[in-house]
């Protein structure tokens, strides 16, 4: 863990000191289910190395973060979650409603007719069977890997 970020919940998740339902992990990124999801399968993709805002994030790592988010968005379409699309969002700084001081990309599965608006969704967030949800996303990633040869995200 980076010195001075002991109070960062995402750094504690990376260090294995806080619980999370992980769906993907590599040397530089970790992806896990949001504990208060807007929709089932709402996943956060974070850099393992602490970066408070985009200004603190290396551009190549930022690109890798979005590639992983893209891959997870595709995975939820191919999983039993049967998403029809996804919102990928990154709130950069408190002025942009960033609530955790560690860069994180939201991957929010969407379905036709779900009628979720983000203002409403942010208020009505609640968990949806995290273990089976994470399994569905991991299965979707495996299905993608089988068709295109790319590992995970």
């Amino acid at each position: 863990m980076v010195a001075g970020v002991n109070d960062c919940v995402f750094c504690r998740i990376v260090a294995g000191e806080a619980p999370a339902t992980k769906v993907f992990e590599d040397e530089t990124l970790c992806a896990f289910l949001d504990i208060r999801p807007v929709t089932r399968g709402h996943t956060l993709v974070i850099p393992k190395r602490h970066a408070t805002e985009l200004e603190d994030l290396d551009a190549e790592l930022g690109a890798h973060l979005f590639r992983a988010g893209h891959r997870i968005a595709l995975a939820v379409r191919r999983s039993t979650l049967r998403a029809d699309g996804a919102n990928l969002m990154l709130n950069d700084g408190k002025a942009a409603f960033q609530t955790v001081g560690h860069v994180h990309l939201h991957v929010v599965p969407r379905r036709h007719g779900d009628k979720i608006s983000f203002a409403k969704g942010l208020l009505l967030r609640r968990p949806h069977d995290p273990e089976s949800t994470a399994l569905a996303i991991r299965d979707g990633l495996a299905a993608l890997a089988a068709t295109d040869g790319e590992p995970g995200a």
Side-chain angles (χ1 to χ4, degrees):
M1 189 173 336
V2 176
V5 294
N6 293 338
D7 59 341
C8 175
V9 67
F10 290 172
C11 287
R12 289 196 312 270
I13 287 170
V14 168
E17 299 167 359
T21 307
K22 294 180 182 179
V23 300
F24 170 78
E25 188 169 17
D26 68 11
E27 307 80 43
T28 58
L29 301 177
C30 183
F32 50 89
L33 296 180
D34 192 303
I35 61 168
R36 293 181 49 235
V38 173
T39 63
R40 185 171 183 216
H42 180 170
T43 301
L44 302 178
V45 184
I46 67 165
K48 287 184 170 181
R49 183 167 187 239
H50 186 84
T52 302
E53 296 179 354
L54 283 177
E55 184 175 324
D56 307 317
L57 188 66
D58 170 83
E60 183 53 40
L61 183 54
H64 183 47
L65 182 88
F66 273 88
R67 283 190 300 268
H70 172 249
R71 192 114 180 115
I72 290 168
L74 294 174
V76 297
R77 286 175 173 251
R78 286 162 178 78
S79 74
T80 56
L81 298 179
R82 293 182 175 81
D84 298 312
N87 290 111
L88 276 68
M89 301 173 309
L90 191 147
N91 301 332
D92 182 34
K94 289 183 181 184
F97 306 107
Q98 181 179 355
T99 58
V100 176
H102 187 121
V103 170
H104 55 288
L105 176 67
H106 295 261
V107 180
V108 182
R110 300 300 302 268
R111 288 155 197 81
H112 291 296
D114 64 13
K115 297 182 182 167
I116 297 289
S117 69
F118 272 89
K120 235 189 286 180
L122 292 173
L123 296 175
L124 302 173
R125 297 165 70 172
R126 51 188 165 268
H128 304 273
D129 186 20
E131 290 307 320
S132 70
T133 301
L135 179 61
I137 296 169
R138 288 190 295 264
D139 287 348
L141 286 167
L144 279 171
T147 60
D148 64 15
E150 290 280 328

